[in-house]
Structures are given as C-alpha cells and as structure tokens.
C-alpha cells in the first residue's frame, strides 16, 4: 500500500526553509532601535533628578543639547553650574556662546579659564575668535599669538591668523609665509600646509620658492589641483612659458572639476589669442563652479570675440549676476556692437548691461 504525505507535513516542508530559527524557537527577532536625542535628554534629566550633585551628568546633558544645536540650553545649564564644571565644560560653554554670537559671555567664560591657567592655548584661541567677531583685530591677533605660544601644535589659531593677514589690503604675504612654515615645522609636513605655502609664494611672486613648495605639495598629495596650477604660474613668472603651458594644460585636463585650473588655462589661451580653445576651458570652469563670475566673464569675452553672440549674451549676464563689476565689460561689448551697427544684438546687450548695474 502506497504511503500518503500528510498535508500538514507538506506545509512544514514548504514553509520551513523560509522561517528563521528564532521564529521556530518562539523568540521573534526585534528590530534594533537607536535611542533618539530627545530620549537621551529625558534619561539624563531623570538621572540628574536622582543625583542632583552629579556634575558629570549635568555636563553630559549639556553635551547632548550641544549635539542637538540647542545652544541656549547649553549656556543656561552650564552657567548655573559654573563653579562645579571642569575646563572642558567651560570650553563647551564658550563654543555655545560663539554659536549664538554672544561674544561678551564667551569672553567672560574664557577669562575664567585663563585666570586659572595662563598657558591655556584653546582658551586663547577662542578668545581670538570672540574678538574677531567683535571686530577688534588687535586683541584677536594678540590672543591667537598667545595660543600658538602656549601650544605650537594647535592648528586653529594659525588658520585664523592666516585669514586675518589674507583679508588685509594688501594681504600680508610675509607674515602668511612665516605662519605656513611654522605650521609645517611645528605640526608636520602635511600636504594642506605645503599647499598654503605654495599658494602664498605664488601670490607673492616669489617664484623660485613657489616652484619648490608647489612641487613638495604635489609630492605629498598628487590630487591637489591648486598645486599644479600654482606650479605653472610660478614657471610662467620665471619666464619658462613652455613648461608653464604644459603644466597648466595638464592641470586643466586632469582636474575638470577645478574652476581654478580651467580658468587659469583658459586665461593663458586667451592671452595667446586662442579664443576658440580658451572658450572651451572657460565653459568647463562655469560647470565646475556655476557661480564663478571670472569664468563666466572669460566665456563671455572669448565667445564675443568669435562672434558667438548668443553664448556671449548669456555669459555676460551671468558674469554680472555674480559680480556687478563686470558691468563695465558688458557695456564695452555693447559699444562694440553699436559701432559695428549690429542692430540684431545691440538692443539686447544695451538693456541687459544697464540692468547689470542695479
């Protein structure tokens, strides 16, 4: 007599491969959940109610508020416990005030630290930030220098001083060069520090030093587009035009997303009267950075030169959109059209160039 397979057994055979062992065992797997920020806050508040004297819990709660960018709660909580909290908590308090633009309270908190330790580099660095926000460059400069003196390996005060010297009119490249070299000597021969030195040497027209520092940057990190561009500019400054052109072309080819590389090579080609080629690189420059006024202007002037007025018209409008100073070049092109009696485009250029000024 042939045996029959029971229907229930058949279901087990079919379904079993698709059922997890935990389900068979009667303990279905629960999805993993992460505690939300608000849940953490409530947990910490509950713990603080049980242990109101536990300052560590108070600081943890402040850190959670800071992570959630609720800076006002950070400041209220930490000032309430100012006599109990440690140095790191006071630094957190200062940063919360910094985020809220409350420079007076920021300085008050940080003075609390430097009065206890005259070598607190981070406190001096943050004081520099506070005075910068208050537009007091002399006090800012003094505190950034104190920060570096206290800890030559602390990076933020170097960066802040570099920006201060760069923002001057004219920029103080001498001090910037010293700072960049100090960063290399004190913190390490990092590619980003070498890149700063390469850029400063280039802008200051110290071409020999520029070639050396730019080559060192490339050796440290071959993916830094600005180092190749600046290397080419230094070569050009030294009168080695062929090497400069080769280097700048390589930069533009290898780094299509670098507006700096596209613009610089485009400018070189335009200066050589190669408007058609230059136009191509300026166009890529506008794609790399759609808000680059200089690349839009380069595209405008080169396309206008070869009488591609539709492209030039759009490019001039964008050049003006991102920098009103380009209205002068736009009006100059309009005059050329008017003098050549190009009635088709003169009206359009006149109207748009007038609007550019406003």
């Amino acid at each position: 007599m042939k045996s029959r397979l029971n229907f229930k057994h058949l279901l087990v055979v079919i379904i079993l491969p698709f059922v997890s062992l935990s389900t068979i065992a009667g303990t279905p797997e629960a999805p993993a959940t992460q505690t939300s920020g608000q849940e953490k806050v409530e947990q910490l508040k509950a713990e603080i109610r049980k242990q109101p004297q536990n300052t560590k819990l108070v600081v943890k709660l402040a850190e959670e508020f800071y992570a959630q960018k609720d800076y006002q709660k950070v400041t209220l909580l930490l000032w309430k416990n100012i006599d109990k909290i440690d140095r790191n908590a006071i630094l957190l308090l200062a940063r919360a005030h910094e985020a809220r633009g409350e420079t007076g309270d920021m300085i008050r908190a940080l003075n609390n630290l430097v009065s206890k330790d005259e070598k607190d580099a981070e406190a001096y660095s943050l004081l520099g930030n506070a005075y910068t926000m208050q537009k007091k460059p002399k006090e800012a400069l003094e505190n950034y220098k104190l920060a570096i003196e206290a800890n030559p390996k602390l990076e933020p005060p170097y960066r802040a001083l570099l920006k201060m010297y760069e923002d001057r009119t004219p920029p103080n490249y001498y001090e910037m060069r010293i700072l960049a070299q100090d960063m290399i000597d004190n913190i390490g021969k990092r590619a980003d520090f070498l890149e700063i030195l390469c850029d400063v040497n280039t802008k200051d027209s110290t071409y020999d030093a520029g070639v050396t520092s730019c080559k060192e940057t490339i050796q440290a990190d071959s993916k830094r587009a600005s180092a190749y561009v600046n290397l080419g500019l230094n070569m050009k400054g030294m009168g080695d035009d062929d090497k400069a052109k080769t280097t700048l072309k390589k930069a533009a080819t290898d780094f299509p997303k670098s507006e700096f590389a596209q613009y610089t090579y485009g400018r070189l080609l335009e200066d050589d009267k190669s408007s058609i080629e230059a136009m191509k690189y300026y166009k890529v420059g506008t794609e790399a950075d759609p808000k680059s006024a200089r690349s839009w202007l380069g595209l405008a002037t080169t396309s206008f030169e070869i009488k591609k007025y539709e492209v030039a018209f759009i490019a001039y409008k964008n050049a003006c959109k991102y920098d009103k100073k380009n209205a002068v070049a736009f009006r100059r092109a309009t005059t050329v059209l008017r003098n050549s009696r190009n009635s088709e485009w003169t009206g359009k250029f006149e109207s748009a160039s007038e609007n550019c000024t406003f």
Side-chain angles (χ1 to χ4, degrees), residues 218-248:
I218 292 166
Q219 189 174 3
D221 183 357
S222 61
K223 294 182 179 179
R224 292 183 180 265
S226 72
Y228 289 94
V229 179
N230 282 326
L231 176 60
L233 290 172
N234 282 300
M235 288 171 169
K236 184 172 175 58
M238 292 173 69
D240 199 340
D241 291 346
D242 290 340
K243 277 189 179 179
K245 189 170 184 177
T246 300
T247 304
L248 291 173

Side-chain angles (χ1 to χ4, degrees), residues 323-334:
D323 188 348
K324 294 296 182 185
K325 293 175 186 174
N326 291 325
V328 175
F330 203 172
R331 287 197 294 270
R332 192 181 301 124
T334 305

Side-chain angles (χ1 to χ4, degrees), residues 79 82-83 85 90 106-117:
W79 275 118
I82 192 67
D83 295 329
I85 59 177
I90 294 176
M106 189 180 172
I107 291 168
R108 184 159 60 102
L110 293 164
N111 281 338
N112 185 302
L113 289 182
V114 296
S115 65
K116 297 174 185 175
D117 181 5

Side-chain angles (χ1 to χ4, degrees), residues 83-95:
D83 295 329
K84 303 172 189 175
I85 59 177
D86 62 9
R87 171 182 173 276
N88 287 334
I90 294 176
L91 289 173
L92 181 69
L93 172 61
R95 290 190 180 99

Side-chain angles (χ1 to χ4, degrees), residues 242-263:
D242 290 340
K243 277 189 179 179
K245 189 170 184 177
T246 300
T247 304
L248 291 173
K249 184 176 182 179
K250 176 178 171 54
T253 303
D254 291 353
F255 300 98
K257 293 184 179 179
S258 167
E259 187 274 341
F260 183 32
Q262 304 307 315
Y263 169 79

